Amino acid sequence: GSGSGGGGGGGGALACVHLRRGDFVDECRRYEEEARSGHARGWLLAHYERGLSCLPSDEEVRLNLQALGAAAAARGERVAYYGSSDEPAALRGSQPAGTQVATLADSAGLLDAFAAASPEPLHRSVLAPVVDQLVCARASALLLNVFSTFSQLLMAHIGMRRPERVGFVRDLSELAQRDLGVHVDFWRRQNPFDPAKLLGVQVAWDAGRLRMVAAPGVVADV
């Protein structure tokens, strides 16, 4: 994605990384089967054709985090990483050297504090994704799963920072990202011909369609 960013000029910035595992193992397998079936839905094919990943491998997680850090550094931002994941260990085990991704699992008392402040009894399993949404909605850089409704809802929350200009939307166009000062990218697949790079191109939503954006030095030349 693109944008002016809230943490430019050498300042600090929060980066939110949303990684799905769990039920997405079967979900993504079904998506891949559909993509190969010859009668896949258009949006699904578009995601795969652009190199986007539904279930990134550990190495793809490392490469994508590395790309996220490089992009932030190019903008002059020092990034603190927050991870939203149903399997936090998958993030911890795939961090590039020098990168630390904090998750809700690292702050056990935080959920208890939220639960104590709630006027209604809330189970931790319900509360955790809510807290993740609240934290990630304050991020200026996001690495999301284009196949995930959680990621879409997160973009909607961010759009509500500017209700009069952007509002409650499921995706953020390049213009909206500039307006909001955020950078949105999606998990991408490893290039099988050059495993040190990611496949394809950086992408962003633009007027409801995915637009390809060059990312020199990060993605493969295509």
Side-chain angles (χ1 to χ4, degrees), residues 4-23:
S4 58
L14 176 64
C16 172
V17 177
H18 177 222
L19 180 67
R20 286 296 300 270
R21 287 289 189 260
D23 61 334

Side-chain angles (χ1 to χ4, degrees), residues 31 36 84 88 98 117 137-138 141 148 158 180 192 221:
Y31 282 148
R36 298 190 186 103
S84 167
R138 305 309 307 163
S148 166
I158 292 171
L180 294 160
D221 297 325

Side-chain angles (χ1 to χ4, degrees), residues 68-81:
L68 177 64
R75 297 191 297 268
E77 294 176 351
R78 295 192 307 273
V79 175
Y81 296 88

Side-chain angles (χ1 to χ4, degrees), residues 28-48:
C28 294
R29 178 180 49 78
R30 287 193 290 270
Y31 282 148
E32 288 184 11
E33 289 172 355
E34 180 181 340
R36 298 190 186 103
S37 68
H39 48 80
R41 289 166 287 181
W43 65 265
L44 184 64
L45 275 181
H47 291 344
Y48 281 107

